[in-house]
Amino acid sequence: MRRTPVRHTTIIAAAALALTATAAFADDLKIGLIYGKTGPLEAYAKQTETGLRMGLEYATKGTMMLDGRKIVVITKDDQSKPDLSKAALAEAYQDDKVDIAIGTTSSAAALADLPVAEENKKILIVEPAVADQITGEKWNKYIFRTGRNSSQDAISNAVAIGKPGVTIATLAQDYAFGRDGVAAFKEALAKTGATLATEEYVPTSTTDFTAAGQRLFDALKDKPGRKIIWVIWAGGGDPLTKLQDMDPKRYGIELSTGGNILPALTAYKRLPGMEGATYYYYDIPKNPVNDWLVAEHQKRFNAPPDFFTAGGFSAAMAVVTAVTKAKSTDTEKLIAAMEGMEFDTPKGKMVFRKEDHQALQSMYHFKVKVDPNVAWAVNEPVREIKIEDMNIPIRNKR
């Protein structure tokens, strides 16, 4: 009987200690990053993570504290596979109790994630997947996107190369990213006076473009005026180089594409003067956020920040701005704070459009310049294509 109170006291103390530890852990502000860290899009994914961590550091002035809570980033590799992505996001929400999730790299995987956010009633900031369906027909109110969408890519490229008397053919990957991109490009191109001659779709794993290239050449070679093949591509395969090797100039055909990561821009050096529109190139935006990112990234990695580094950074800025504005991580309060919210990014101001939660943002018309002292093709700015210069369609059924 004398030992019973001691035993009870010990048990109570242990329970109290466990509750305290649980409370302390629960106080962390947890951000889940779902991304294709391994697989075909791993270069993009790694940039996203770097940008996210640097963005959180910048936005919190180095404290990594937000709303009085320590920020913890929990990463999950979905290998860019839809089934794995869906499971990883569910695990992040249900087991890891993340407050907000960010991801993912592949559009197909991101589309699989959308219902998971809705089922768990938690915010998913889509970065960097671009398929229009994400903020279009497959959208739900828990989805916000800092990444550009296919329409922004397409409209900006149509503005850059589409003019009366120009005939264009497209080459794209046969999945949501490619088909949405071409659909949006086709719609935007119609308003420029240019003509779309044909569309070619090939598997994402394609490395031999001979047959597709010949069909594109045949569709364009006898057309009058300026003739362009516009390529929309993600990952490996290098279609630009393969098409260039087929000598399109013998038919007076030019190549064009949007911006890309720096390693991919090495292939653009064979295309001096090529024009297109890009989401980001480190030397184009002039603002304090980008100045810090470029300087710090150069200092830490001996290289400039890349395409998706800016994207991850933008997602971080959105999270910090939203939680600061909402003064909470409650989902409904976050949604109210984020709809119509403006926030700073390396690209300048972004705005989450209330109707579909797509981040409206500038794009950049560029021309390829070859500098022998730079390993990749320089994206020389022609002009900034601002938010008000692009009529981005609202494609959801809200």
Side-chain angles (χ1 to χ4, degrees):
M1 290 296 292
R2 289 176 188 168
R3 289 193 300 271
T4 302
V6 175
R7 187 163 61 248
H8 283 179
T9 302
T10 304
I11 292 168
I12 291 166
L17 186 63
L19 284 170
T20 303
T22 302
F25 182 75
D27 281 343
D28 289 342
L29 195 158
K30 286 177 275 188
I31 298 170
L33 175 62
I34 317 300
Y35 63 155
K37 188 177 181 181
T38 58
L41 304 178
E42 64 180 73
Y44 302 174
K46 288 173 182 176
Q47 291 176 21
T48 300
E49 181 177 7
T50 297
L52 175 65
R53 293 186 186 279
M54 290 185 74
L56 291 170
E57 179 185 343
Y58 177 87
T60 62
K61 297 180 171 61
T63 67
M64 291 300 284
M65 298 287 292
L66 182 56
D67 195 30
R69 300 160 67 186
K70 179 186 174 185
I71 296 173
V72 175
V73 178
I74 298 170
T75 62
K76 294 186 182 294
D77 179 13
D78 66 9
Q79 300 174 36
S80 293
K81 296 177 180 177
D83 55 339
L84 292 182
S85 196
K86 190 174 180 179
L89 183 59
E91 184 180 79
Y93 286 140
Q94 295 165 16
D95 298 343
D96 300 307
K97 308 296 182 187
V98 301
D99 297 287
I100 296 173
I102 296 168
T104 182
T105 318
S106 158
S107 286
L111 286 166
D113 289 344
L114 306 187
V116 179
E118 187 171 32
E119 288 160 13
N120 288 274
K121 295 181 168 54
K122 287 282 189 178
I123 299 290
L124 171 64
I125 296 177
V126 175
E127 175 64 49
V130 304
D132 271 343
Q133 297 172 61
I134 292 166
T135 43
E137 61 187 82
K138 304 295 186 184
W139 176 86
N140 63 69
K141 73 173 189 175
Y142 302 98
I143 306 306
F144 289 79
R145 175 159 50 187
T146 48
R148 86 283 188 203
N149 66 14
S150 292
S151 289
Q152 287 165 315
D153 265 349
I155 291 169
S156 58
N157 275 276
V159 167
I161 66 172
K163 294 176 181 62
V166 176
T167 304
I168 298 173
T170 61
L171 173 66
Q173 289 160 307
D174 193 8
Y175 79 115
F177 165 72
R179 289 194 172 269
D180 279 8
V182 171
F185 180 79
K186 185 177 180 179
E187 185 179 330
L189 196 68
K191 299 172 185 175
T192 70
T195 301
L196 184 64
T198 191
E199 304 165 29
E200 277 288 330
Y201 298 95
V202 296
T204 57
S205 58
T206 300
T207 55
D208 183 353
F209 295 90
T210 307
Q214 193 57 56
R215 289 192 294 270
L216 291 166
F217 289 1
D218 289 344
L220 290 175
K221 64 183 181 181
D222 296 325
K223 301 293 184 185
R226 193 178 179 194
K227 302 180 280 283
I228 302 172
I229 295 173
W230 184 65
V231 178
I232 177 170
W233 199 265
D238 194 9
L240 279 177
T241 296
K242 305 294 175 56
L243 290 174
Q244 182 71 356
D245 287 343
M246 293 176 67
D247 192 20
K249 283 188 178 179
R250 64 195 154 114
Y251 299 119
I253 296 171
E254 304 172 45
L255 301 180
S256 176
T257 191
N260 212 319
I261 61 173
L262 298 178
L265 293 186
T266 57
Y268 290 26
K269 293 189 81 171
R270 296 182 60 191
L271 300 162
M274 183 185 77
E275 293 184 56
T278 188
Y279 163 79
Y280 177 81
Y281 180 76
Y282 66 93
D283 205 31
I284 296 179
K286 304 300 180 187
N287 61 69
V289 181
N290 195 52
D291 290 348
W292 184 90
L293 172 58
V294 171
E296 282 297 314
H297 199 280
Q298 187 69 45
K299 186 192 304 180
R300 298 177 192 188
F301 304 105
N302 196 32
D306 213 336
F307 211 78
F308 297 105
T309 320
F313 200 111
S314 298
M317 297 294 282
V319 169
V320 173
T321 305
V323 174
T324 302
K325 185 179 177 186
K327 298 182 174 58
S328 172
T329 51
D330 173 78
T331 298
E332 293 302 322
K333 290 179 180 176
L334 284 172
I335 292 172
M338 292 170 78
E339 289 189 337
M341 183 182 83
E342 294 186 6
F343 52 104
D344 291 325
T345 79
K347 297 180 60 179
K349 179 182 76 173
M350 287 190 188
V351 183
F352 279 132
R353 183 163 58 182
K354 185 174 181 179
E355 291 82 357
D356 61 358
H357 302 172
Q358 174 62 48
L360 302 180
Q361 55 196 280
S362 289
M363 302 288 279
Y364 308 98
H365 179 182
F366 71 91
K367 181 179 284 190
V368 167
K369 176 184 174 184
V370 177
D371 182 339
N373 298 314
V374 180
W376 50 84
V378 173
N379 285 187
E380 188 173 45
V382 176
R383 73 182 180 100
E384 180 179 353
I385 305 171
K386 297 182 179 179
I387 291 172
E388 56 269 24
D389 296 329
M390 294 177 285
N391 182 20
I392 309 300
I394 297 168
R395 301 185 186 277
N396 65 13
K397 298 183 176 69
R398 184 170 188 170

